[in-house]
Amino acid sequence: MYPDLSGKVAVVTGGSKGIGNAIARRLSEEKMSVVINYNHDRCGAEETAESLRKAGGNAVAIRADVGTEKGARALLNAAIEHFDTLDVWINNAGIEKQSPTHKLSLEDWNRIINVNLTGVFLGSRTAIKYFLNQRKKGNIINMSSVHQRIPWPTFAHYAASKGGVRLFSETIALEYAKNGIRVNGIAPGAINTPINAEKFSDPNQKQSTLDLIPIDYIGKPEEVAAVAAWLASGESGYVTGATIFVDGGMSLYPEFEEGQG
Ligand code: NAD
């Protein structure tokens, strides 16, 4: 637990399920007030907010498309309207869709880039403007992926978006360090969330993913949320521009595990 988080306010994009949902729950356990964003999954977000309020926390579910300026503004407004301020903004919302690159439509390319990269830009810009106006030492956490480093054929748009998130995060970490604003990334490997539900329901596909994970299990959303809580807290106060890989070793070239090469 991180006592300095108590009473602070977080926006978590894409908080209706999966990793974002685990982050919203963990931050609420840390006694933060949480704006839980969703785009389509109203039930997931509302039920989570309701259960957190029942447990004594402060949480509100807000519909907003992170790929729009209006959406980002709505999330900031919600934080201020319901909880008076903003301390931590977590750009977590993300989507993926498999397609060989030579068949990838411009529409699908734009859709993935819009949510995964433009959404991170719009959320970060909104939070930074607020932090600067309030002279606040705010905190931004951007959800990337091991595919900010590992090429991923048939997911070129996704890999491009996450590679973009990495350099965008590092750039704004440097740009606003003097203002006391910290920006860090989290790069999950394979995590057990709805985004992977179809893949992991097939034992062969699940095994082929496990073969890429030295620690030998699919990660839990709570294991990503634990890193988000640490990055949000003052315990990580000297960390900015970093990406923490939460991947069971997936990015460590597991093919070389036995000294091959
Ligand atoms: P998920 O599909 O379970 O949840 C995604 C969330 O994003 C949902 O709440 C969804 O409503 C929301 N969302 C999608 N489009 C949105 C939009 N336009 N506006 C607002 N919200 C929107 O996915 P997840 O596995 O929890 O992934 C969360 C993040 O972690 C994503 O950025 C993803 O790329 C990243 N990630 C996940 C894994 C994994 O294995 N699960 C691995 C690496 C990176």
Side-chain angles (χ1 to χ4, degrees), residues 14 16 19 37 64-66 92 143-144 158 162 188-189 191 193-194 196:
S16 64
I19 292 171
N37 159 244
D65 180 351
V66 298
N92 164 78
M143 199 56 65
S144 177
Y158 182 84
K162 297 301 188 180
I191 309 296
T193 71
N196 290 320

Side-chain angles (χ1 to χ4, degrees), residues 163-222:
V165 166
R166 176 198 152 190
L167 212 47
F168 175 73
S169 300
E170 290 176 358
T171 298
I172 61 171
L174 179 57
E175 197 168 340
Y176 297 102
K178 59 182 173 298
N179 303 100
I181 298 169
R182 292 195 296 127
V183 184
N184 289 291
I186 299 178
I191 309 296
N192 205 359
T193 71
I195 218 173
N196 290 320
E198 205 184 316
K199 185 163 48 184
F200 295 158
S201 67
D202 172 350
N204 291 332
Q205 285 201 58
K206 186 173 178 184
Q207 189 54 51
S208 72
T209 301
L210 281 169
D211 291 344
L212 297 171
I213 308 172
I215 279 184
D216 206 29
Y217 70 89
I218 307 287
K220 303 181 196 71
E222 292 73 21

Side-chain angles (χ1 to χ4, degrees), residues 15-236:
S16 64
K17 56 186 173 181
I19 292 171
N21 194 268
I23 292 174
R25 289 177 184 281
R26 173 64 192 260
L27 297 184
S28 184
E29 278 170 29
E30 299 282 353
K31 303 198 185 322
M32 292 187 80
S33 300
V34 191
V35 174
I36 303 172
N37 159 244
Y38 68 97
N39 194 21
H40 297 300
D41 181 15
R42 182 165 182 270
C43 266
E46 292 283 5
E47 278 171 19
T48 305
E50 176 70 26
S51 78
L52 296 180
R53 287 195 296 267
K54 274 194 182 141
N58 294 319
V60 63
I62 301 291
R63 186 184 178 284
D65 180 351
V66 298
T68 65
E69 293 185 303
K70 190 173 154 212
R73 217 176 308 120
L75 294 175
L76 175 64
N77 290 345
I80 294 167
E81 183 188 324
H82 291 273
F83 308 125
D84 295 327
T85 190
L86 171 76
D87 298 285
V88 179
W89 185 292
I90 303 188
N91 288 305
N92 164 78
I95 53 174
E96 65 181 44
K97 184 183 174 193
Q98 186 162 24
S99 169
T101 306
H102 66 285
K103 292 183 180 165
L104 178 58
S105 68
L106 178 60
E107 191 189 352
D108 279 345
W109 169 273
N110 284 337
R111 208 165 54 83
I112 301 286
I113 296 292
N114 178 249
V115 176
N116 296 10
L117 182 56
T118 308
V120 171
F121 156 61
L122 293 173
S124 301
R125 188 183 66 176
T126 302
I128 290 168
K129 263 191 196 166
Y130 177 79
F131 295 148
L132 292 177
N133 281 338
Q134 301 295 313
R135 297 183 191 283
K136 194 158 205 171
K137 295 183 174 180
N139 192 320
I140 296 173
I141 299 168
N142 293 330
M143 199 56 65
S144 177
S145 161
V146 287
H147 297 296
Q148 76 168 38
R149 178 188 290 171
I150 304 174
W152 203 17
T154 69
F155 289 90
H157 44 350
Y158 182 84
S161 73
K162 297 301 188 180
V165 166
R166 176 198 152 190
L167 212 47
F168 175 73
S169 300
E170 290 176 358
T171 298
I172 61 171
L174 179 57
E175 197 168 340
Y176 297 102
K178 59 182 173 298
N179 303 100
I181 298 169
R182 292 195 296 127
V183 184
N184 289 291
I186 299 178
I191 309 296
N192 205 359
T193 71
I195 218 173
N196 290 320
E198 205 184 316
K199 185 163 48 184
F200 295 158
S201 67
D202 172 350
N204 291 332
Q205 285 201 58
K206 186 173 178 184
Q207 189 54 51
S208 72
T209 301
L210 281 169
D211 291 344
L212 297 171
I213 308 172
I215 279 184
D216 206 29
Y217 70 89
I218 307 287
K220 303 181 196 71
E222 292 73 21
E223 292 174 302
V224 183
V227 174
W230 177 71
L231 284 173
S233 80
E235 289 279 305
S236 62

